[in-house]
Amino acid sequence: MTHQHAAHAVESVRDYPRPPRIEEDSRRIVVRSGESVLADTTRSIRVLETSHPPVFYLPPPEVELNLLRSNPHTTFCEFKGRAVYWDVIVGQTISRAAWSYPVPSPGFEELKDWIAFYPSKVDCTVDGEAVKAQAGGFYGGWITSEIAGPFKGEPGTNSW
């Protein structure tokens, strides 16, 4: 199921579902590393999961794939399936700065090959607002002023 994002509504991550929900989003997403634009799109998918800030996935045609290189690291999500990782190459190598699901689990087929970036490793904006990274090295949630926590990954949340 997809939904259009309602602009400027404050969302509590405690209201997000488990298993996660997918929503289409038409706000302008820009991802940069230094002066290099890695992606610029008004077509993204947000994945909303209980206690996590949203993760934005971007369509491959709107990502500068020539600036990404496959990384052998993989992880497994109980909902979305096996994730593969991407290094960003922009003069320097930023290891595992992005990930995607080449064969997503049933119910998450919309994510096939779409790319998510870690805002802790590259600069991300949503309609011009700088994104804050979700705490913890594993999580890739995008925190903006419309999202209310507490968020998984912050101190004291490991037992959630």
Side-chain angles (χ1 to χ4, degrees), residues 33-45:
S33 179
E35 298 300 312
S36 298
V37 175
L38 304 173
D40 188 342
T41 185
T42 55
R43 193 168 62 101
S44 64
I45 297 172

Side-chain angles (χ1 to χ4, degrees), residues 82-132:
R82 184 178 64 88
V84 299
Y85 286 78
W86 301 94
D87 296 340
V88 169
I89 312 298
V90 286
Q92 62 179 358
T93 298
I94 306 169
S95 183
R96 297 190 305 222
W99 74 97
S100 62
Y101 292 93
V103 184
S105 297
F108 292 90
E109 293 88 353
E110 287 179 79
L111 295 180
K112 180 178 173 40
D113 295 328
W114 285 44
I115 298 170
F117 288 90
Y118 282 101
S120 61
K121 297 187 177 199
V122 293
D123 298 318
C124 306
T125 60
V126 177
D127 271 350
E129 179 183 350
V131 171
K132 290 183 5 186

Side-chain angles (χ1 to χ4, degrees), residues 30-96:
V30 179
V31 180
R32 289 185 175 90
S33 179
E35 298 300 312
S36 298
V37 175
L38 304 173
D40 188 342
T41 185
T42 55
R43 193 168 62 101
S44 64
I45 297 172
R46 294 190 321 152
V47 174
L48 310 177
E49 181 177 353
T50 303
S51 299
H52 291 271
V55 173
F56 285 78
Y57 288 80
L58 312 179
E62 298 181 41
V63 174
E64 294 296 329
L65 298 175
N66 60 316
L67 299 178
L68 302 183
R69 182 176 62 210
S70 179
N71 181 295
H73 184 73
T74 66
T75 56
F76 185 80
C77 170
E78 65 182 301
F79 301 115
K80 297 180 288 295
R82 184 178 64 88
V84 299
Y85 286 78
W86 301 94
D87 296 340
V88 169
I89 312 298
V90 286
Q92 62 179 358
T93 298
I94 306 169
S95 183
R96 297 190 305 222

